[in-house]
Amino acid sequence: MTTQRFLTGITTSGTPHLGNYVGSIRPAVRASLTPGVQSFYFLADYHALIKIDQPDRIQRSTLEIAASWLAAGLDPERVVFYRQSDVPEIPELTWFLTCVLGKGVLNRAHAYKAAVDKNTANGTDPDADVSAGLFMYPVLMGADILIFNAHKVPVGRDQVQHIEMARDMAHSFNHRYGDHFVAPEAVIEDNVATLPGLDGRKMSKSYDNTIPMFASSAQLKKLIGSIVTDSKMPGEPKQTEGSALFQMYQAFASEAETQALRQAYADGISWADAKQTVFERIDQELAPMRETYSTLMNNPAKIEAILLSGATKARALATPFMSQLRHAVGLRKLDAMSTVTSTVSKAAKPSFKQYRETDGKFYFKLLNGQHQLLLQSHGFDSPKDAGQMIKHMSAASQDALVLLSTFWQLAPDIGIADVWQNLQLFNSD
Ligand code: TRP
């Protein structure tokens, strides 16, 4: 069995918070230690450009996210850890996929549709403030995944549609050009905790209720102190159900520790003491990482070097794969053109294309079923002359066309009409 490849991207549009740590960083770092899997983690900085037009913020976020993942224990020797924009094969593949994906599929993408619905509700142009980048987002994401033929993509529920689109792109491409891509599968992380934020809703940047992953110990204490609770007095029994503080503790503590706090709630622990307990437990897990984090943040050159070496590993796979794909679609070196005979015989239906050049003359080309050039005519003075020639050739046998095409390849300077005439003589012998 081939090694299972897991791949995940992290958009470089913010500072990691505890919700990111519990929901994605910690499980991903643990998963990367599983034997028999190959993991790819990358900083999706091209994706960040869709949302953010502040260059310094993009750079800062790239540094912070890279430092956070490394501080959380991601081992760049063991996984492929890279920055999307260091792998030019990704935008190149994006274009290939753009050409095989139906536009209608993108029209139905949730993020794009939500923007359109909002505009429609406001009575503005449906595409107001929608960049083509937002529209194309799923294609870039498809390229991220397909360039490494990842089997599994751990994502949140909101990203599942994007993985389905990536499968669609893989199938469409394979259908046209042969089997090149594995159809990726989403792995939905349902059993990881979603962390509540300071106000009790899910911790999320868009709710402005986050605790930065690497807040200082003092800041962490202060922020945990500000988590909403009810107004029960010390000594009064407290509910664990619906307590954001309790849920937060649970995401860090062992079974036994959680049970102990549950008991303390029942016994009427004061909110101040409960907050102290939660703070100490979280700080215990984060303190060692915080140190690594600040060392890394003070040494951006080291992170840069780690990312570049990750990109080298990534490109060792992506570059040859992209050459294969370029060849598959027909972006090929002309000096390695396959012999005409074999291409003609493979061609189901050769076709003629007529056109006029800037010299004012009329030309045509003969293409095989794979759109490869079999021959190109000399210039005719009128479209009627060119048409006449096409008519003769259309009536000819496949064998005659092979011969003609071979002649043309050998001596492209001789006019087609002359070759044709000689061929007729040859045939009537
Ligand atoms: N769209 C993902 C998010 O916002 C980030 C991402 C970009 C990604 N490319 C990817 C995730 C490829 C998985 C695979 O969370």
Side-chain angles (χ1 to χ4, degrees):
M1 206 183 84
T2 54
T3 314
Q4 288 285 300
R5 285 182 298 271
F6 280 69
L7 176 140
T8 291
I10 310 101
T11 308
T12 55
S13 56
T15 300
H17 54 68
L18 282 188
N20 300 135
Y21 172 67
V22 166
S24 98
I25 303 176
R26 192 174 60 186
V29 171
R30 283 183 188 156
S32 76
L33 300 172
T34 316
V37 307
Q38 190 181 13
S39 304
F40 295 78
Y41 297 98
F42 70 96
L43 302 158
D45 54 351
Y46 283 138
H47 277 99
L49 297 183
I50 295 168
K51 289 195 228 164
I52 295 183
D53 59 3
Q54 293 151 272
D56 292 341
R57 249 183 88 194
I58 300 260
Q59 186 188 25
R60 176 86 194 164
S61 171
T62 304
L63 179 67
E64 287 176 348
I65 294 178
S68 304
W69 281 74
L70 293 167
L74 192 74
D75 178 359
E77 295 297 320
R78 207 187 152 102
V79 304
V80 188
F81 184 50
Y82 57 100
R83 176 170 49 194
Q84 188 183 31
S85 65
D86 286 332
V87 184
E89 288 80 6
I90 294 169
E92 187 174 5
L93 179 56
T94 301
W95 182 248
F96 287 16
L97 298 177
T98 303
C99 295
V100 300
L101 183 70
K103 175 176 174 286
V105 175
L106 294 179
N107 289 341
R108 293 188 285 277
H110 299 322
Y112 171 68
K113 252 178 54 188
V116 168
D117 290 350
K118 199 170 142 204
N119 283 331
T120 311
N122 291 340
T124 50
D125 182 278
D127 280 327
D129 290 327
V130 177
S131 69
L134 177 68
F135 187 68
M136 293 288 297
Y137 185 109
V139 190
L140 179 57
M141 187 161 158
D144 289 333
I145 298 167
L146 299 184
I147 192 73
F148 298 112
N149 262 333
H151 302 94
K152 308 271 175 175
V153 187
V155 284
R157 286 209 171 272
D158 60 323
Q159 298 290 319
V160 171
Q161 189 194 33
H162 293 147
I163 311 302
E164 262 145 33
M165 289 182 183
R167 294 171 64 84
D168 189 332
M169 292 174 229
H171 287 137
S172 307
F173 191 96
N174 287 350
H175 181 70
R176 284 178 177 73
Y177 300 113
D179 260 342
H180 297 279
F181 293 124
V182 164
E185 278 174 44
V187 180
I188 303 152
E189 312 238 357
D190 266 342
N191 54 348
V192 301
T194 46
L195 207 67
L198 299 175
D199 57 0
R201 290 185 291 174
K202 176 183 174 196
M203 188 179 287
S204 159
K205 204 171 56 171
S206 40
Y207 295 147
D208 199 20
N209 64 356
T210 64
I211 299 180
M213 180 174 167
F214 291 112
S216 67
S217 191
Q219 260 178 310
L220 180 64
K221 190 176 159 92
K222 192 164 156 238
L223 286 168
I224 289 174
S226 74
I227 292 172
V228 289
T229 59
D230 61 27
S231 53
K232 295 224 165 66
M233 301 300 286
E236 279 187 75
K238 315 227 163 17
Q239 300 280 333
T240 55
E241 185 79 14
S243 164
L245 194 63
F246 188 79
Q247 277 177 50
M248 199 174 280
Y249 187 70
Q250 214 169 6
F252 288 86
S254 68
E255 262 317 305
E257 289 166 323
T258 307
Q259 190 47 42
L261 187 65
R262 184 173 284 119
Q263 189 58 49
Y265 263 54
D267 294 344
I269 186 176
S270 74
W271 285 126
D273 288 348
K275 285 176 172 177
Q276 181 64 23
T277 306
V278 175
F279 158 69
E280 280 170 11
R281 185 62 190 83
I282 297 179
D283 196 52
Q284 182 193 328
E285 182 161 332
L286 290 176
M289 296 180 205
R290 201 183 281 132
E291 211 150 301
T292 317
Y293 180 77
S294 83
T295 310
L296 285 166
M297 288 299 284
N298 289 324
N299 195 353
K302 178 161 183 202
I303 297 185
E304 181 64 28
I306 289 173
L307 291 176
L308 289 182
S309 108
T312 303
K313 279 204 259 177
R315 294 195 71 197
L317 298 165
T319 309
F321 188 40
M322 200 62 217
S323 307
Q324 177 191 323
L325 298 175
R326 289 177 64 106
H327 187 268
V329 301
L331 305 185
R332 297 173 181 165
K333 290 267 184 286
L334 299 183
D335 53 7
M337 204 153 162
S338 46
T339 63
V340 171
T341 316
S342 65
T343 49
V344 171
S345 51
K346 259 197 274 166
K349 278 184 236 92
S351 62
F352 292 93
K353 293 270 180 291
Q354 262 183 286
Y355 58 100
R356 194 174 184 185
E357 276 288 20
T358 44
D359 62 7
K361 295 202 175 203
F362 299 86
Y363 293 79
F364 65 82
K365 289 176 182 174
L366 177 62
L367 305 170
N368 73 7
Q370 283 91 45
H371 303 288
Q372 290 163 330
L373 182 65
L374 297 181
L375 66 79
Q376 184 175 324
S377 78
H378 63 280
F380 292 84
D381 291 329
S382 78
K384 210 170 135 229
D385 293 343
Q388 195 68 30
M389 190 71 220
I390 290 178
K391 213 172 130 197
H392 285 314
M393 287 176 62
S394 307
S397 69
Q398 187 100 337
D399 285 348
L401 290 183
V402 171
L403 261 178
L404 189 61
S405 165
T406 309
F407 273 46
W408 172 73
Q409 293 245 313
L410 292 171
D413 292 338
I414 303 176
I416 285 298
D418 289 336
V419 178
W420 180 253
Q421 206 138 45
N422 283 323
L423 215 61
Q424 294 307 301
L425 291 174
F426 182 75
N427 270 351
S428 60
D429 260 353

